[in-house]
Amino acid sequence: MLDLIQTLKNQALHQISACHTNDELEEVRVRYFGKKGEITKLLKKLPIINKSERKIAGQNLNEIKDLLLKEIERKKADIEKEIYQNARFDPTVPGIEPQIGNTHLITCAIDEIYEVFAKLGFSRARYPEVEYDWFAFESLNMGKGHPARDEWETFFVDAPDDKKYGEIVLTPHTSSGQVREMLRRNSTPPIRMINIAKCYRRQISIRHLVMFHQFEGLFIDKGISITHLKGTLDYFAKNFFGEKRKTRLRPFHFRFTEPSFEVDISCGVCNGTGIDKENSKCKLCKSGWLELGGAGMVHPVVLKNGGIDPNKYTGFAFGWGVERTFMMKAGLNIPDIRILYSSDLNYLKQF
Ligand code: PHE
């Protein structure tokens, strides 16, 4: 055994010194120290050789193991030094451009939306995404089991109910911030809030996402009427979409506004005519109008829940999807809303 150890040592030293690359060196290492390597095999044999030889062989083997491993490390350093010295600097090679990140287009849209309303004196608010049933539904005039709740396909959180505020949900709309804002302002109008936040609904399709954003306006003061709502919406349409755009209100129903409306904006492709340049039906809107979202005059019950006297004060509210509003602005015919969150950089970089 002792002879064999000596032979292996000389052989290995020779092979190490003959290496020119890291790969070759690694091969040599595995040949001796890998699972089935020569030295490993001998180490495994130690317990079965006779006692008189075992002690000295063990010592020898360990010494040689240390020596060879050190030698491999030294050789590795030599090889690396050589690679470094041989590398020449070529000033004509094009540089590697660092990746520069930029803001996601929905974040840009949120900033832009807020800027428009900030000019009208609305201040930005954000309320919890994980919300009590009471703020998301009950305080908005949708009692337990009311069928109107079906509209908001809600995720319920598996957590103990609160005695006062009920079950916990992922808020399905930003209207949950209405009563919260009234309470935060100590129920003292004037209140001008723009709440832009994430919402969650159990829906997924080319037009719906489980997570999306809404922006919610709330304006409460003495003598607020539908004309203020219409004026605010028109101001937003002109500033966000362009001078020529108009809005229209269509009667609708929400439990938390009375009267309620759906808001449409004139189509930017056919200028609200419904007829395109080739004299056929506009492919984007088909009618001259595009649907933006809901709005209405705050229901007296909601004002009361926020501690505000509906005989003294009135207000309006509106709530629309950020993604949809953004897509309309850009005149983008995004075939699938999900692409906005697909992390497809080739797509997102276009904006
Ligand atoms: N919260 C309603 C929705 O999600 C929109 C809305 C907001 C309607 C405010 C009226 C007033 O559809």
Side-chain angles (χ1 to χ4, degrees), residues 283-302:
K283 282 176 201 72
L284 184 66
C285 65
K286 301 193 176 83
S287 65
W289 297 94
L290 294 161
E291 191 188 309
L292 267 181
M297 302 305 293
V298 182
H299 198 288
V301 167
V302 180

Side-chain angles (χ1 to χ4, degrees), residues 209-275:
L209 282 165
V210 278
M211 187 285 296
F212 60 101
H213 296 77
Q214 278 192 339
F215 59 106
E216 178 106 3
L218 177 72
F219 193 164
I220 304 173
D221 206 348
K222 282 189 178 137
I224 297 299
S225 70
I226 297 175
T227 56
H228 296 107
L229 168 64
K230 180 73 165 92
T232 306
L233 299 183
D234 280 339
Y235 179 85
F236 174 72
K238 284 190 178 24
N239 279 271
F240 190 74
F241 293 103
E243 250 332 286
K244 290 200 183 123
R245 310 295 282 272
K246 283 185 283 216
T247 62
R248 101 180 155 179
L249 301 179
R250 257 183 308 114
F252 200 71
H253 179 74
F254 293 106
R255 289 281 299 172
F256 38 97
T257 45
E258 182 57 40
S260 304
F261 309 100
E262 283 228 295
V263 183
D264 294 337
I265 176 156
S266 56
C267 172
V269 172
C270 65
N271 279 326
T273 58
I275 312 283

Side-chain angles (χ1 to χ4, degrees), residues 152 172-173 175 178 201 214 216 254 256-257 294-296 317-319:
W152 293 270
H173 58 174
S175 300
Q178 288 193 15
R201 290 188 199 172
Q214 278 192 339
E216 178 106 3
F254 293 106
F256 38 97
T257 45
F318 56 86

Side-chain angles (χ1 to χ4, degrees), residues 3-65:
D3 287 348
L4 180 57
I5 295 174
Q6 275 312 312
T7 323
L8 279 180
K9 174 186 153 191
N10 292 335
Q11 198 181 307
L13 282 174
H14 179 72
Q15 288 176 2
I16 292 169
S17 74
C19 286
H20 291 294
T21 66
N22 276 333
D23 287 350
E24 286 171 8
L25 196 60
E26 177 62 10
E27 246 173 61
V28 175
R29 193 191 62 81
V30 172
R31 194 173 306 145
Y32 292 94
F33 297 104
K35 258 192 188 160
K36 290 182 184 157
E38 300 295 337
I39 305 273
T40 318
K41 267 196 246 166
L42 289 186
L43 281 166
K44 278 188 191 152
K45 265 193 200 154
L46 273 183
I48 54 169
I49 60 177
N50 67 40
K51 250 194 180 162
S52 58
E53 217 186 341
R54 195 185 300 159
K55 192 171 170 209
I56 184 100
Q59 260 172 10
N60 262 356
L61 259 182
N62 278 321
E63 268 169 34
I64 283 166
K65 185 178 157 191

Side-chain angles (χ1 to χ4, degrees), residues 25-176:
L25 196 60
E26 177 62 10
E27 246 173 61
V28 175
R29 193 191 62 81
V30 172
R31 194 173 306 145
Y32 292 94
F33 297 104
K35 258 192 188 160
K36 290 182 184 157
E38 300 295 337
I39 305 273
T40 318
K41 267 196 246 166
L42 289 186
L43 281 166
K44 278 188 191 152
K45 265 193 200 154
L46 273 183
I48 54 169
I49 60 177
N50 67 40
K51 250 194 180 162
S52 58
E53 217 186 341
R54 195 185 300 159
K55 192 171 170 209
I56 184 100
Q59 260 172 10
N60 262 356
L61 259 182
N62 278 321
E63 268 169 34
I64 283 166
K65 185 178 157 191
D66 288 348
L67 175 88
L68 290 180
L69 286 176
K70 254 189 215 144
E71 200 51 30
I72 291 177
E73 279 312 303
R74 207 189 50 74
K75 185 71 190 178
K76 202 174 186 177
D78 280 357
I79 291 175
E80 256 143 39
K81 202 163 142 198
E82 208 173 304
I83 294 175
Y84 180 73
Q85 275 169 356
N86 285 344
R88 289 215 198 94
F89 178 64
D90 178 355
T92 63
V93 172
I96 301 166
E97 203 180 321
Q99 283 236 1
I100 300 176
N102 53 299
T103 320
H104 191 276
L105 65 174
I106 292 303
T107 312
C108 296
I110 290 174
D111 292 346
E112 230 179 285
I113 290 167
Y114 170 60
E115 258 172 47
V116 176
F117 288 106
K119 284 186 204 143
L120 294 179
F122 284 76
S123 50
R124 176 107 192 248
R126 269 177 105 167
Y127 287 107
E129 291 167 29
V130 184
E131 182 56 287
Y132 290 115
D133 180 290
W134 196 77
F135 288 106
F137 293 112
E138 195 120 13
S139 69
L140 297 174
N141 203 21
M142 293 184 274
K144 293 234 153 40
H146 195 284
R149 289 181 173 218
D150 273 5
E151 274 295 305
W152 293 270
E153 305 208 19
T154 311
F155 288 109
F156 286 83
V157 177
D158 201 0
D161 299 4
D162 183 86
K163 272 200 197 90
K164 195 163 157 205
Y165 296 122
E167 284 175 282
I168 297 175
V169 301
L170 297 187
T171 197
H173 58 174
T174 41
S175 300
S176 56

